[in-house]
């Protein structure tokens, strides 16, 4: 049995961590919940038991023995506190972008690069939600056909922007002005996730590009991305256009994806079967549909990839990393 800490327990992903540990029957000996000072003293439930939320501070960490610290409390909090948990012997699995591109920190999706867990030094990074679902779908193609180029276009849910993102959509539907997003998200589509960079891309787009390369161990992979916030509560959808190295038949791609770990192919246009955010929200797998050739280039392939951004895109992926480590112990 293991002692687990959740940092950012009161947040959107933090609450999902608690739910997933419970539903997967993760071998928890003791669960510690941390959030900001504002939430200290708040009571949350785990397996029917009350747990009091503690303020995240050195004093409250140093008196504990923690095996896994699951982080989702923003980049600054991770930068400061993940090393402090590592120092007391825990493995910090961090959902923020703070550590992802650090060469000393593995960036892991269990279905794609579990082998990278081995070289951790106390911190393991969970990729960006939109990257996770994309690489789960891309990995079998990468291994079997090779990939020359990827074009990502995303349709991302407001839950990815935390509680404030959800409130902006819900309140926006009642006519209220947004607080988190620069423009109303209700009835709107915003080609803007995270901050803008000098090169014209957003940081979210850069994350998808750089993280995909790190996870697939290929710094030269040609990738471009446009990431877009849409008025959907939960589950991200992505159009992924891929130029493969080798020729392929669609049937073989469908078979390959159908037999790959963590993927459900849901694709039958005659019966109007394709994955949608509403249907995929709450599910663990990455759903793939609209599998078809891109006839405008040689070896071109189009996929429609949908996954629950809070489950597989965040909390579940982190818990799966911890499960692999436990199984290998
Ligand atoms: P709190 O609820 O006390 O503000 P979300 O992204 O869904 O808004 O959640 C963010 C999570 O990160 C919350 O649990 C929030 O706690 C926590 N958090 C934010 N800032 C800090 C901080 N400085 N120290 C610890 N936890 C923090």
């Amino acid at each position: 049995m293991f002692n687990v800490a959740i940092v950012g327990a009161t947040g959107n992903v933090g609450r999902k961590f608690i739910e997933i540990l419970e539903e997967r029957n993760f071998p928890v000996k003791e669960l510690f919940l941390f959030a900001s000072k504002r939430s200290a003293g708040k009571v949350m439930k785990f397996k029917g038991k009350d747990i009091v939320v503690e303020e995240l501070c050195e004093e409250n960490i140093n008196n504990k023995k923690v095996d896994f610290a699951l982080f989702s409390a923003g980049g600054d909090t991770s930068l400061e506190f993940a090393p402090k948990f590592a120092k007391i012997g825990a493995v910090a699995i961090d959902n923020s972008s703070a550590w992802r591109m650090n060469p000393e920190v593995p960036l892991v999706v269990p279905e794609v690069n579990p082998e990278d867990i081995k070289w951790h030094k106390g911190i393991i990074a969970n990729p960006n939600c939109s990257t996770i679902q994309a690489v789960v779908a891309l990995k079998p193609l990468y291994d079997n056909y090779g990939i020359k180029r990827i074009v990502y276009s995303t349709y991302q849910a407001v839950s990815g922007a935390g509680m404030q993102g959800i409130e902006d959509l819900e309140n926006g539907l009642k006519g209220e002005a947004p607080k988190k997003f620069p423009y109303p998200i209700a009835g709107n589509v915003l080609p803007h996730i995270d901050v803008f960079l000098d090169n014209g891309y957003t940081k979210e787009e850069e994350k998808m590009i750089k993280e995909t390369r790190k996870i697939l161990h290929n710094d030269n992979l040609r990738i471009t991305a446009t990431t877009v916030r849409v008025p959907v509560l939960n589950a991200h959808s992505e159009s992924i256009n891929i130029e493969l190295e080798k020729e392929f038949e669609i049937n073989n791609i469908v078979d390959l994806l159908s037999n790959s770990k963590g993927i459900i192919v849901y694709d039958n246009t005659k019966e109007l079967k394709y994955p949608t955010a509403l249907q995929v929200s709450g599910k663990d797998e990455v759903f793939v549909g609209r599998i078809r050739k891109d006839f405008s280039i040689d070896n071109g392939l189009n996929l429609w990839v949908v996954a629950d951004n809070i489950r597989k895109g965040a909390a579940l992926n982190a818990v799966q990393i911890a499960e692999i480590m436990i199984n290998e112990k």
Side-chain angles (χ1 to χ4, degrees):
M1 301 283 271
F2 301 86
N3 288 347
V4 179
I6 297 179
V7 178
T10 50
N12 223 7
V13 175
R15 283 178 293 118
K16 199 56 80 177
F17 276 137
I18 299 175
E19 200 183 306
I20 288 177
L21 289 174
E22 192 166 326
E23 81 188 29
R24 293 173 79 85
N25 217 7
F26 191 94
V28 176
K29 188 153 92 194
E30 208 171 341
L31 183 65
F32 306 111
L33 302 180
F34 293 100
S36 77
K37 203 171 177 176
R38 296 180 289 275
S39 304
K42 196 175 162 188
V43 176
M44 297 179 80
K45 291 253 184 230
F46 176 67
K47 292 195 168 172
K49 246 181 62 189
D50 286 346
I51 301 181
V52 179
V53 176
E54 298 178 70
E55 179 190 350
L56 182 68
C57 60
E58 220 154 328
E59 203 188 325
N60 285 340
I61 300 171
N62 288 343
N63 61 8
K64 294 188 174 63
K65 201 197 154 308
V66 176
D67 298 296
F68 296 104
L70 309 176
F71 270 74
S72 190
D76 292 342
T77 306
S78 297
L79 273 181
E80 187 181 346
F81 284 94
K84 295 192 196 308
F85 274 95
K87 207 164 139 203
I88 62 156
V91 177
I93 305 178
D94 180 33
N95 200 54
S96 82
S97 60
W99 297 96
R100 288 181 193 148
M101 294 315 297
N102 186 315
E104 301 281 295
V105 174
L107 181 65
V108 176
V109 179
E111 293 86 346
V112 181
N113 61 333
E115 70 280 3
D116 284 331
I117 292 174
K118 282 196 298 285
W119 53 269
H120 82 82
K121 299 182 173 76
I123 303 174
I124 297 173
N126 215 32
N128 179 261
C129 44
S130 36
T131 310
I132 291 177
Q133 67 185 72
V135 294
V136 168
L138 290 173
K139 171 71 171 168
L141 302 169
Y142 186 77
D143 287 347
N144 287 276
Y145 293 91
I147 292 179
K148 260 196 190 162
R149 179 169 183 257
I150 302 165
V151 181
Y152 289 133
S153 309
T154 71
Y155 305 74
Q156 297 183 220
V158 293
S159 60
M163 304 280 256
Q164 289 177 316
I166 295 176
E167 281 165 16
D168 264 14
L169 176 56
E170 288 177 344
N171 296 335
L173 291 169
K174 295 181 237 157
E176 286 177 31
K179 293 195 178 116
K180 170 83 179 170
F181 303 119
Y183 300 103
I185 187 64
N188 214 356
V189 165
L190 309 179
H192 169 193
I193 300 181
D194 209 330
V195 295
F196 280 102
L197 307 171
D198 289 341
N199 63 7
Y201 280 73
T202 61
K203 195 153 173 228
E204 183 82 353
E205 289 158 354
E206 186 189 70
K207 285 179 212 163
M208 285 197 83
I209 295 167
K210 291 191 169 169
E211 292 177 20
T212 300
R213 290 181 182 144
K214 179 167 176 177
I215 295 164
L216 294 177
H217 307 131
N218 182 345
D219 290 341
N220 301 316
L221 199 53
R222 286 193 291 164
I223 311 174
T224 189
T226 302
T227 59
V228 179
R229 189 78 66 193
V230 294
V232 165
L233 265 181
N234 195 50
H236 291 348
S237 306
E238 298 177 351
S239 157
I240 309 185
N241 177 258
I242 310 145
E243 188 177 352
L244 295 170
E245 300 270 5
K246 293 189 197 155
E247 281 181 21
F248 65 88
E249 293 302 329
I250 281 294
N251 290 347
N252 296 335
I253 299 286
V254 170
D255 286 349
L256 175 66
L257 294 175
S258 302
N259 291 312
S260 297
K261 233 173 149 186
I263 297 178
I264 291 183
V265 169
Y266 188 72
D267 190 13
N268 185 335
T269 48
K270 286 196 184 73
E271 293 175 19
L272 306 187
K273 282 188 176 163
Y274 44 80
T276 65
L278 274 182
Q279 180 191 28
V280 167
S281 184
K283 303 263 170 42
D284 285 349
E285 297 83 2
V286 172
F287 286 69
V288 183
R290 301 295 320 278
I291 304 169
R292 64 204 192 280
K293 286 200 170 182
D294 168 1
F295 296 109
S296 71
I297 46 166
D298 289 340
N299 310 330
L301 176 69
N302 282 313
L303 304 178
W304 178 249
V305 177
V306 186
D308 186 322
N309 53 303
I310 301 297
R311 292 181 78 87
K312 184 56 191 164
L316 173 65
N317 195 76
V319 172
Q320 287 171 323
I321 292 172
E323 285 173 346
I324 292 183
M325 300 181 77
I326 288 174
N327 288 338
E328 282 174 0
K329 264 186 188 167

